[in-house]
Amino acid sequence: MFTTLTVSPILMVILSLSLGVFVAYEFRHQPTIGRYESFLLYVLFMSPLSFSAYFFDFDETYAIVPSLLAWFIVVLFTKRATKYGVLGKKGYLRCVLMNRRRGRLVRSADDLDKIDKLILDEKFLPTDDAEEEYLKDIFQKAALLDVELLDINDFLKQEYGYVNYMRKSHRIALRERVVFDTLKNAFDRTLSLVLLIVFLPLFAIISLAIYLQDGGPVIFWQTRVGKGGRHFEIAKFRSLKNGDDETPIGRKIGTILRVSHFDELPQLWNVLKGDMALVGPRPEWLSLATDQKAPKGYWMRTAIRPGITGWAQVSYKPSRTLHTRNRKLGYDIFYINNRGIFLDALVWLRTFQKFGFFLVALLDRKSRSKVI
């Protein structure tokens, strides 16, 4: 009894404080994450410690108080806002937009007093010999003021979770994450099995609605490109007349399925089989993955299993053109290089947020139609 009362609370305080600082730091440094998102995910990750009080002989206060203290420690030692400056042409400022705040254009060494980091891009740097003094003054004063010089590609990677894959140094250097990939595969398959059972009533309702609306097959299969370029058949609820055309099966049910992404729920079967993961790059259509229609380097997306949701899906708009698919590839490569439990948690949170926005918009539309 003496050991339990004296040692266990102390160990729990140390564990909660140490784990809390680590988890809070990891979430605070995820790309584009907001303070409310990071705190919500932090509470979610730390909540098992308070629940463990019911299984071990200690007061849950020994877990909750150090956890909250750890969060405030990380917040206090993390800068609230970093002031960015840009060395280049005036139009280049559009590349640096942080939470509706634009970076400052650096025209002379005196402008360095107002920034913390200076973002550089080789194609915008002056090249004339007459401008060498201009560059020398800026770089020398930046060194004296401890202003960090940051390459534009490193800036995009740190702040936006985007990789300029056209540069060889930023292409995939796939890290060996054997433990994470193995646990993720087991978790994905287990959760997909549970969700398939839980969603059986919803599957029955959607299937009945599709059949009554159109009378055709409920599920259709499409050939997609998976890990290593292997082809597999993906399952989806049929929301269009012939599966691949642009005509919805009905004025309401087809649109609702596509906008809410409920048509993708049967992909849980592909996750259970091991063709897909819950989080990863979207499985590309076979017709769009050819060398003629795919962006350069598109094969890099096949380094891991495709996912139902992913970092590119929650970070950028749907890829309907070659340009947008080109942009989304940069987000996919960032995820492949930085995949982990914290980034996956952020993807899941934003996926649920998007679904919540859809429900709010749908309910608001119905309420407005009743008023009219």
Side-chain angles (χ1 to χ4, degrees):
M1 180 64 69
F2 178 80
T3 303
T4 303
L5 290 176
T6 56
V7 178
S8 294
I10 295 176
L11 289 178
M12 185 52 60
V13 169
I14 296 175
L15 175 63
S16 301
L17 191 59
S18 303
L19 183 62
V21 169
F22 170 73
V23 173
Y25 178 84
E26 288 292 331
F27 277 127
R28 292 278 292 181
H29 286 79
Q30 293 300 314
T32 70
I33 194 170
R35 66 185 68 177
Y36 301 110
E37 288 180 323
S38 62
F39 183 72
L40 181 61
L41 291 173
Y42 175 77
V43 172
L44 179 65
F45 267 64
M46 296 300 293
S47 58
L49 279 178
S50 60
F51 287 118
S52 64
Y54 295 98
F55 301 98
F56 300 95
D57 188 15
F58 70 90
D59 189 344
E60 62 182 1
T61 306
Y62 292 110
I64 296 176
V65 173
S67 298
L68 292 176
L69 179 61
W71 169 261
F72 285 111
I73 289 174
V74 172
V75 170
L76 290 175
F77 284 94
T78 302
K79 286 186 177 181
R80 289 189 175 184
T82 301
K83 300 176 183 177
Y84 291 96
V86 178
L87 182 62
K89 298 179 181 178
K90 186 175 182 180
Y92 178 56
L93 275 176
R94 290 177 299 185
C95 297
V96 185
L97 182 62
M98 298 292 297
N99 298 328
R100 300 182 180 178
R101 293 181 296 103
R102 294 187 181 276
R104 179 181 295 273
L105 183 64
V106 175
R107 294 185 174 87
S108 66
D110 294 335
D111 293 329
L112 296 175
D113 295 326
K114 308 177 183 69
I115 65 173
D116 300 319
K117 294 184 180 181
L118 179 61
I119 303 171
L120 309 174
D121 192 341
E122 292 180 1
K123 64 182 180 181
F124 286 118
L125 291 179
T127 56
D128 298 339
D129 294 338
E131 295 177 323
E132 281 294 322
E133 287 297 320
Y134 161 74
L135 285 177
K136 185 182 74 172
D137 291 342
I138 289 180
F139 289 157
Q140 286 182 346
K141 187 168 183 180
L144 293 175
L145 296 176
D146 291 328
V147 174
E148 181 180 354
L149 302 180
L150 193 63
D151 180 76
I152 180 63
N153 298 289
D154 293 330
F155 167 77
L156 292 174
K157 184 166 61 173
Q158 292 177 14
E159 301 295 340
Y160 290 98
Y162 176 85
V163 171
N164 182 6
Y165 60 91
M166 297 304 292
R167 297 185 60 170
K168 293 183 179 180
S169 60
H170 287 80
R171 291 191 178 182
I172 287 182
L174 194 58
R175 300 176 183 176
E176 290 293 334
R177 304 198 175 205
V178 179
V179 176
F180 171 75
D181 291 338
T182 303
L183 293 177
K184 177 180 169 63
N185 185 26
F187 173 79
D188 287 352
R189 293 194 178 196
T190 303
L191 183 58
S192 63
L193 177 60
V194 173
L195 292 178
L196 282 171
I197 297 174
V198 172
F199 287 153
L200 275 179
L202 180 60
F203 283 9
I205 294 173
I206 293 176
S207 301
L208 181 61
I210 294 174
Y211 182 79
L212 293 177
Q213 183 73 52
D214 191 65
V218 172
I219 293 179
F220 78 100
W221 301 83
Q222 250 182 0
T223 302
R224 298 290 181 95
V225 180
K227 181 179 179 180
R230 184 177 64 86
H231 299 170
F232 70 98
E233 297 296 318
I234 195 174
K236 297 183 70 174
F237 280 123
R238 190 170 60 87
S239 60
L240 303 174
K241 284 289 185 182
N242 299 318
D244 294 337
D245 64 16
E246 295 297 328
T247 306
I249 59 175
R251 186 175 61 179
K252 291 184 178 180
I253 182 64
T255 303
I256 291 176
L257 286 176
R258 290 178 64 81
V259 174
S260 66
H261 297 290
F262 275 173
D263 60 331
E264 299 181 1
L265 285 178
Q267 294 174 24
L268 291 170
W269 172 250
N270 294 106
V271 178
L272 183 62
K273 289 175 57 181
D275 294 327
M276 295 178 60
L278 292 176
V279 179
R282 282 293 296 146
E284 188 57 274
W285 291 29
L286 184 60
S287 59
L288 296 179
T290 60
D291 294 336
Q292 293 77 17
K293 294 185 178 181
K296 185 179 180 180
Y298 209 60
W299 56 268
M300 290 187 284
R301 300 173 76 255
T302 63
I304 61 175
R305 290 181 300 150
I308 296 178
T309 184
W311 179 243
Q313 292 92 296
V314 300
S315 300
Y316 200 66
K317 56 188 176 182
S319 53
R320 301 185 183 278
T321 65
L322 184 62
H323 173 71
T324 55
R325 292 168 66 214
N326 203 348
R327 290 292 301 272
K328 289 185 75 171
L329 178 57
Y331 292 102
D332 283 328
I333 294 176
F334 174 85
Y335 175 79
I336 293 172
N337 284 332
N338 298 274
R339 66 193 188 278
I341 186 173
F342 299 103
L343 187 56
D344 277 20
L346 181 58
V347 170
W348 275 116
L349 177 62
R350 293 188 175 174
T351 301
F352 291 136
Q353 284 178 337
K354 281 194 171 185
F355 180 68
F357 293 151
F358 160 74
L359 290 180
V360 170
L362 183 64
L363 293 174
D364 181 63
R365 181 179 178 183
K366 288 185 176 181
S367 64
R368 283 188 284 109
S369 63
K370 289 180 181 180
V371 173
I372 293 173

